[in-house]
Amino acid sequence: GKPIASDEAITHSFHRKMSPGDPRRAFPTSIVESHADEPFLPHHMGAGDAHVLCDIESSLSLCVFELKA
């Protein structure tokens, strides 16, 4: 909803819960764009002017995993 600078990186940290031994270490992610003002941003891809800019495959294969007690 807020303007972003095209010459600055956007980063976002997240946590993904996985079961011990889960072999899925990669997952698809879509980068989506909408030109709507903040109050009118679409809530899903099928609404408004939202469209996919690109699709990426995120890989957790090199990450260190911790088991939480």
Side-chain angles (χ1 to χ4, degrees):
K2 298 177 185 174
I4 58 170
S6 61
D7 59 344
E8 295 178 16
I10 299 173
T11 61
H12 176 72
S13 297
F14 68 97
H15 298 275
R16 185 174 179 94
K17 293 184 179 183
M18 301 179 78
S19 300
D22 188 341
R24 294 174 294 158
R25 296 284 189 248
F27 53 94
T29 303
S30 296
I31 306 300
V32 179
E33 175 185 49
S34 171
H35 294 285
D37 290 333
E38 186 174 3
F40 306 108
L41 286 173
H43 294 281
H44 56 83
M45 275 300 301
D49 68 338
H51 67 277
V52 176
L53 288 176
C54 65
D55 291 311
I56 59 174
E57 179 100 353
S58 300
S59 175
L60 302 176
S61 61
L62 300 176
C63 295
V64 175
F65 292 91
E66 298 177 4
L67 292 176
K68 299 258 180 171

